[in-house]
């Protein structure tokens, strides 16, 4: 059991969940995740850790409303109990002084990239942060990201920010502008990570992506989260979640993420019937 | 077949004390052996195959009192009982059976619980036919052993129905703290044994329900969750503390726990790493490891989807690869979830199949198809990446291999393709690597298993013991419990010698 300290909507469809989990807060490092179950009948789903406070014993994740599980999480209030909140799971991100690093994030990844950017900055890197949002009102955590970035570049389709082009295009032009980019880290929806990896492939700049396949236990026991990297099957929960984006079998990952598309719709309908009847 | 275990001096003494009791002598005299041999083995009542293969209710219904007493009468109460040499947890089998015959059911369950904290589980999932029953003297004489497993199940069910679970007297606290890592059969056994000795035990479990493979692996129709819960409740009544959703190695390392004041450790983290065949198409949607398939259905209750949120692919044509108990559990689960065709694909013949005879029999009755001497070569997917067909190859048996079983040899040109929309790979599990990765001092064998001194279950680190599938690879529940019992005795000695 873990207590919810705070749950709030940051922007439409994206929520923040802060949970009292002192052991997780004591151990976690950038790039790791927790497995959460909203209620006794819920599903176990992974959420990337976006921030933590060891003193307060709290851990923060950001999630986007998609299916039943995230719907249920979005209805939590401070003081509610979560039956499952386990972590920190997965291997931490590789943090070193690489030189110049581009951090690209979109949707929940805007928050998920934050602790990695912070750690990379602290390790002495020049951090260039690229943020992608569908519309300017969907941007959040601007202050936090500014503090840890040497440059913050935001792309929104309504062009209220720096540009309106999809961020992988910007990544492509950035690689040409900059004298040297030593590494790229991309977190967000699978498509964004895929496109970022493709953008850097010609120049051969190492691009780490934080994969988000479906998981169950999160400790390597079930193999639900298998992904192919360099032709070998890996478990994202224990071998990842970070992988070199140039080695990933993306079509397979897209298909596996959609494994239960019809069931997700069915589940959501059942949940709404139950909730509103 | 099982190895015959050595009977310890302690067990010999216990057996003799029971054997020499006056009432036992009288009971032996009350019915001559010849008469006892006339009683047929009492059949385990089962639910009808056509009904049970559509739901998750338990298949076996259990003996009633009269049948149990009759079955107990079949036991000769031998002076030199064979059965006890087949039991990894050293139950005084003749005593508990004779107490059933005497209709002193309360004393009977207490007798079992002297050395086994989880009898309702053992009575259901132990392979008695290769353990206690294979060395039963009645079997040697007639070929039909006393139904020891069914009696164990009966007596533990009786206690639960009565609602008065007996709690042994717990000695005053020793002040020692023990951390048990993993709430599976090995860990639960260690916890129960050490709590009974007065140590303070905490179990750390990664999942949210205790039981390990008993909860995520073995289906409801074979081991109802309510029974497991009752056994875990019993441990809690003995004073065992449970810390759920705690991954040792991640949430805290063994070293952290040492600093938190734990004096001794037991690692029972199980065979939580599924094996795959590494053939093309294994990552298609609809191809599962048995661990994932069973976890979704058992732990997460996907069979009650969408009431429970976790879904699982419900195939019409299901193929389960493998011939062990996990394969049987998987294929029977697929049938219950609506598969019109649910088939076992196994590369050897029926004779080499490692599954329990009872499971194979139940599967056959429920309409499971067996494709023996067959192995998959590849899976084919549709445009959405979902499995739609598999290519298989027929085999024939050749010379015996290193395991003593005849080796399957491919028959050239026998490839064929068949449509499937659900595949479960149940070809075994390897030890879970998480503990070893985060505790570098642990010695790891070539299969990823932890290495221990088999006489004490001690690892190379003082005060750290291990047992069950993490040292054995994929074995059985009862062997894990046997390891747990041995480790607990050694841990008790370690703690009492003041090595802390």
């Amino acid at each position: 059991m873990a207590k919810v300290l705070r749950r709030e909507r940051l922007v439409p469809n994206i929520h923040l969940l802060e949970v009292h989990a002192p052991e997780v807060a004591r151990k976690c490092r950038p790039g790791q995740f927790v497995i959460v179950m909203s209620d006794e009948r819920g599903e176990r789903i992974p959420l990337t850790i976006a921030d933590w406070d060891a003193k307060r014993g709290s851990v923060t994740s950001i999630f986007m409303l998609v299916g039943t599980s995230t719907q249920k999480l979005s209805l939590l209030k401070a003081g509610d109990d979560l039956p499952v909140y386990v972590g920190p799971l997965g291997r931490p991100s590789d943090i070193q002084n690489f030189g110049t690093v581009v951090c690209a994030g979109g949707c929940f990844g805007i928050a998920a990239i934050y602790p990695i950017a912070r750690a990379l900055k602290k390790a002495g890197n020049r951090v260039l942060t690229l943020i992608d949002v569908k519309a300017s009102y969907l941007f959040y955590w601007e202050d936090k990201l500014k503090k840890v970035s040497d440059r913050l570049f935001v792309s929104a389709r309504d062009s209220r920010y720096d540009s309106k082009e999809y961020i992988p295009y910007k990544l492509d032009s950035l690689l040409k502008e900059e004298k040297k980019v030593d590494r790229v880290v991309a977190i967000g929806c699978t498509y964004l990570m895929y496109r970022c990896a493709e953008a850097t492939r010609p120049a051969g700049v190492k691009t780490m992506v934080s994969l988000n396949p479906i998981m169950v236990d999160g400790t390597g026991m079930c193999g639900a989260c298998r992904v192919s990297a360099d032709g070998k099957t890996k478990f994202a929960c224990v071998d990842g979640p970070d992988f070199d984006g140039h080695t990933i079998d993306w079509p397979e990952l897209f298909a596996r993420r959609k494994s239960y598309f019809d069931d997700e719709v069915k589940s959501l309908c059942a949940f709404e019937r139950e909730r509103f009847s | 077949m099982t190895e015959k275990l050595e009977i310890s001096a302690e067990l010999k003494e216990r057996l003799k004390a029971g054997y020499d009791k006056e009432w036992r002598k009288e009971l032996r005299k009350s019915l001559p052996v010849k008469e006892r041999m006339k009683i047929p083995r009492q059949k385990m009542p089962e639910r009808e195959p056509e009904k049970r293969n559509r739901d998750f209710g338990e298949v076996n219904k259990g003996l009633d009192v009269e049948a149990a007493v009759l079955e107990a009468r079949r036991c000769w109460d031998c002076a030199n009982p064979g059965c006890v040499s087949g039991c990894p947890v050293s139950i005084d089998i003749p005593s508990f059976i004779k107490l059933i015959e005497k209709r002193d059911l309360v004393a009977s369950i207490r007798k079992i619980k002297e050395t086994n904290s989880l009898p309702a589980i053992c009575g259901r999932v132990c392979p008695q036919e290769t353990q206690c029953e294979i060395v039963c003297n009645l079997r040697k004489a007639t070929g039909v052993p006393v139904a020891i497993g069914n009696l164990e199940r009966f007596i533990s069910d009786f206690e639960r129905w009565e609602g008065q679970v007996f709690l042994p007297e717990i000695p005053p606290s020793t002040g020692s703290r023990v951390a048990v890592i993993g709430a599976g059969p090995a860990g639960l056994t260690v916890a129960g044994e050490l709590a009974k000795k007065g140590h303070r035990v905490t179990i750390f479990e990664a999942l949210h329900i205790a039981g390990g493979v008993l909860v995520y692996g073995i289906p409801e129709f074979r081991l109802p969750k309510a029974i497991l819960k009752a056994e875990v409740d019993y441990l809690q009544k003995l004073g065992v503390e449970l810390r759920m959703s705690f991954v040792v190695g991640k949430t805290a390392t063994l070293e952290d726990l040492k600093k938190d004041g734990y004096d001794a450790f037991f690692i029972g983290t199980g065979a939580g790493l599924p094996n795959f065949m590494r053939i093309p198409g294994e990552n298609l949607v609809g191809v599962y490891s048995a661990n994932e398939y069973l976890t979704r259905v058992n732990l997460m209750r996907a069979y009650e989807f969408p009431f429970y949120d976790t879904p699982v692919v419900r195939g019409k044509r299901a193929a389960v690869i493998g011939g062990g108990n996990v394969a049987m559990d998987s294929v029977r689960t697929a049938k219950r979830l609506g598969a019109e065709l649910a088939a076992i694909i196994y590369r050897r013949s029926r004779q080499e199949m490692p599954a329990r005879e009872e499971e194979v029999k139940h599967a056959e009755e429920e309409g499971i198809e067996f494709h023996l001497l067959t192995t998959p070569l590849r899976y084919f997917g549709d445009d959405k990446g979902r499995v739609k067909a598999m290519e298989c190859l027929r085999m024939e048996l050749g010379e015996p291999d290193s395991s003593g079983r005849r080796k399957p040899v491919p028959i050239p040109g026998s490839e064929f393709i068949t449509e499937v929309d659900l595949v479960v790979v149940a070809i075994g599990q390897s030890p879970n690597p998480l503990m070893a990765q985060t505790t570098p001092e642990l010695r790891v064998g070539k299969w990823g298993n932890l290495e221990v001194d088999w006489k004490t279950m001690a690892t190379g680190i003082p005060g750290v013991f291990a047992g069950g599938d993490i040292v054995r690879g994929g074995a059985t529940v009862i062997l894990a419990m046997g390891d747990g019992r041995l480790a607990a005795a050694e841990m008790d000695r370690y703690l009492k010698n003041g090595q802390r």
Side-chain angles (χ1 to χ4, degrees), chain A residues 4-254:
Chain A
V4 175
L5 296 172
R6 186 157 62 112
R7 199 279 313 148
E8 63 183 43
R9 198 191 77 165
L10 294 178
V11 294
N13 259 10
I14 289 184
H15 292 246
L16 174 147
L17 178 69
E18 189 180 10
V19 173
H20 182 68
E23 276 129 348
V24 183
R26 197 170 62 182
K27 277 279 162 191
C28 69
R29 286 164 57 198
Q32 291 188 295
F33 63 92
V34 287
I35 292 256
V36 183
M37 194 165 118
S38 58
D39 65 304
E40 298 297 340
R41 278 154 50 194
E43 203 177 357
R44 292 171 65 100
I45 60 161
L47 294 181
T48 306
I49 296 170
D51 205 355
W52 60 93
D53 183 337
K55 272 201 208 107
R56 207 174 158 213
S58 73
V59 180
T60 301
S61 291
I62 305 295
F63 63 91
M64 188 166 79
L65 253 171
V66 186
T68 305
S69 300
T70 44
Q71 280 281 359
K72 284 179 166 180
L73 290 178
S74 75
L75 296 170
L76 291 169
K77 299 181 298 290
D80 285 348
D81 279 320
L82 286 166
V84 175
Y85 194 83
V86 55
L89 300 171
R91 292 174 193 260
S93 296
D94 183 13
I95 305 290
Q96 296 175 37
N97 188 351
F98 299 107
T100 298
V101 182
V102 175
C103 291
C107 98
F108 76 92
I110 297 171
I113 201 85
Y114 166 71
I116 296 171
R118 182 174 62 187
L120 286 167
K121 177 82 191 148
K122 208 177 154 199
N125 293 283
R126 180 163 163 259
V127 176
L128 312 177
T129 304
L130 304 183
I131 296 300
D132 190 83
V133 281
K134 288 268 185 317
S136 50
Y137 65 86
L138 296 173
F139 185 34
Y140 59 93
W141 279 23
E142 186 171 357
D143 293 350
K144 287 179 93 145
L145 285 166
K146 260 188 185 149
K147 268 186 216 154
V148 299
S149 313
D150 290 273
R151 261 182 74 195
L152 176 64
F153 183 96
V154 182
S155 171
R157 289 314 93 79
D158 57 7
S159 71
R160 296 250 186 92
Y161 280 102
D162 307 310
S163 143
K164 58 178 181 179
E165 63 182 351
Y166 192 39
I167 215 73
Y169 295 113
K170 174 66 193 170
L171 181 57
D172 187 48
S173 48
L174 194 69
L175 289 187
K176 284 168 193 141
E177 278 166 35
E178 287 287 325
K179 271 196 268 344
K180 196 163 138 292
V181 171
D182 299 283
R183 181 173 281 234
V184 175
V185 184
I187 309 185
C189 67
T190 313
Y191 186 71
L192 179 105
M193 293 191 286
Y194 157 68
R195 288 290 303 270
C196 286
E198 290 312 307
T200 60
R201 195 190 290 276
V205 178
K206 184 142 177 169
T207 300
M208 299 306 287
V209 290
S210 174
L211 299 187
N212 47 1
I214 295 168
M215 294 186 186
V216 184
D217 69 292
T219 62
M221 186 270 279
C222 79
C225 64
R226 45 196 205 279
V227 293
S228 295
D230 257 340
K232 288 199 186 79
T233 295
K234 299 277 181 192
F235 290 2
C237 69
V238 286
D239 300 322
D242 291 3
F243 290 93
D244 179 343
H246 298 154
T247 66
I248 295 299
D249 180 342
W250 293 98
E252 178 186 282
L253 180 63
F254 283 118

Side-chain angles (χ1 to χ4, degrees), chain B residues 210-429:
Chain B
V213 72
L214 303 171
V215 64
Y216 74 72
I218 300 180
E220 183 80 13
F221 57 81
R222 213 145 71 77
L223 176 66
K225 300 291 161 280
I227 284 162
L228 176 64
K229 187 171 180 304
E231 303 276 49
V232 174
D233 286 349
Y234 169 72
L235 293 181
Q236 284 179 296
K237 281 182 196 143
L238 292 178
V240 173
E241 190 201 345
L242 280 166
R243 290 289 315 272
M244 310 309 297
S245 297
F246 194 113
V247 186
V248 178
K250 288 285 179 188
T251 313
T253 60
L254 197 99
E255 210 45 52
D256 296 330
L257 295 180
K258 254 186 204 166
K259 282 184 203 136
D260 287 347
Y262 289 94
D263 305 302
F265 299 84
F266 178 80
I267 303 172
T269 45
L273 180 68
N275 296 343
F276 286 95
M277 292 176 72
R278 296 180 188 172
I279 57 176
E282 232 172 0
N283 290 346
L284 287 165
V285 175
V287 182
Y288 287 101
S289 74
N291 271 2
E292 182 188 353
Y293 185 66
L294 292 173
T295 299
R296 283 182 176 274
V297 178
N298 299 328
L299 178 76
M300 305 311 295
R301 300 219 190 200
Y303 64 93
E304 292 181 71
F305 179 85
F307 185 70
Y308 280 77
D309 297 344
T310 303
V312 70
V313 170
R314 298 189 178 217
K316 288 286 162 226
R317 289 175 61 86
V320 174
I321 319 301
N325 289 321
V326 175
M328 296 305 141
D329 287 343
S330 302
V331 77
R332 293 170 71 195
T333 296
K335 183 84 194 172
R336 281 160 171 79
L337 290 177
E340 283 151 19
L341 171 96
I344 285 283
I345 312 286
Y346 181 54
R347 66 198 184 113
R348 301 181 194 245
S349 75
R350 166 86 189 244
Q351 225 181 341
E352 287 86 14
M353 228 152 49
R356 287 185 71 186
E357 186 52 41
E358 188 187 30
E359 307 309 323
V360 179
K361 187 195 93 162
H362 281 161
E364 279 173 337
E365 288 167 359
E366 287 165 14
I368 304 302
E369 280 185 26
F370 285 77
H371 295 271
L372 303 171
L373 291 164
T374 306
T375 195
L377 291 178
R378 68 177 74 230
Y379 305 102
F380 302 100
D382 64 12
D383 55 354
K384 286 181 176 158
R386 291 168 192 271
V387 66
K388 63 169 187 187
M390 67 193 285
E391 183 179 9
C392 296
L393 179 68
R394 299 272 188 218
M395 318 286 276
E396 59 190 351
L397 289 180
E399 297 297 311
D401 63 10
S402 59
S403 73
R405 300 183 295 182
R406 290 180 64 194
K407 197 182 162 169
V409 185
I411 303 173
S414 66
E415 295 88 349
F416 66 97
I417 291 176
T418 183
E419 279 180 29
V420 285
D421 54 3
L422 168 66
V423 174
V424 180
V425 182
I427 56 163
Q429 298 84 238

Side-chain angles (χ1 to χ4, degrees), chain B residues 25 131 138 146 168 174 180 196 200 207 260 289 409 436 448 459:
Chain B
K25 288 182 192 164
Q131 307 234 358
L138 182 61
V146 177
T174 60
V180 171
K196 282 194 281 185
R200 257 178 76 196
L207 293 173
D260 287 347
S289 74
V409 185
T459 65

Side-chain angles (χ1 to χ4, degrees), chain B residues 184-187 189 266 467-469 472 475-485:
Chain B
T189 304
F266 178 80
D469 280 358
R472 292 176 179 273
T476 63
V477 167
I478 189 66
L479 287 174
M481 291 173 57
D483 289 351
R485 208 176 119 69

Side-chain angles (χ1 to χ4, degrees), chain B residues 112-241:
Chain B
I112 292 185
K113 283 198 164 173
E114 279 176 8
T115 64
N116 182 353
S117 305
L118 312 164
I121 293 165
C122 292
R124 286 176 167 79
V125 304
C126 270
Q128 289 95 10
E129 64 281 359
T130 62
Q131 307 234 358
C132 50
E133 294 183 18
I134 199 172
V135 280
C136 168
N137 289 335
L138 182 61
R139 177 181 172 275
K140 285 178 203 154
T142 67
V144 189
V146 177
I148 301 168
N150 293 348
L151 287 175
E152 182 181 27
R153 174 192 156 132
F154 160 77
I155 199 67
S156 59
D157 284 352
F158 159 80
E159 185 188 41
R160 210 176 46 260
W161 292 330
E162 282 294 290
Q164 294 235 340
V165 174
F166 164 71
L167 283 178
E169 212 169 297
I170 308 270
S173 170
T174 60
S176 299
R177 291 177 74 199
V178 177
V180 171
I181 303 160
L188 294 176
T189 304
V190 171
E193 294 296 316
L194 290 178
K196 282 194 281 185
K197 296 239 160 68
H199 303 298
R200 257 178 76 196
V201 183
T202 307
I203 306 181
F204 295 92
E205 167 57 44
L207 293 173
H208 55 285
I209 305 177
V213 72
L214 303 171
V215 64
Y216 74 72
I218 300 180
E220 183 80 13
F221 57 81
R222 213 145 71 77
L223 176 66
K225 300 291 161 280
I227 284 162
L228 176 64
K229 187 171 180 304
E231 303 276 49
V232 174
D233 286 349
Y234 169 72
L235 293 181
Q236 284 179 296
K237 281 182 196 143
L238 292 178
V240 173
E241 190 201 345

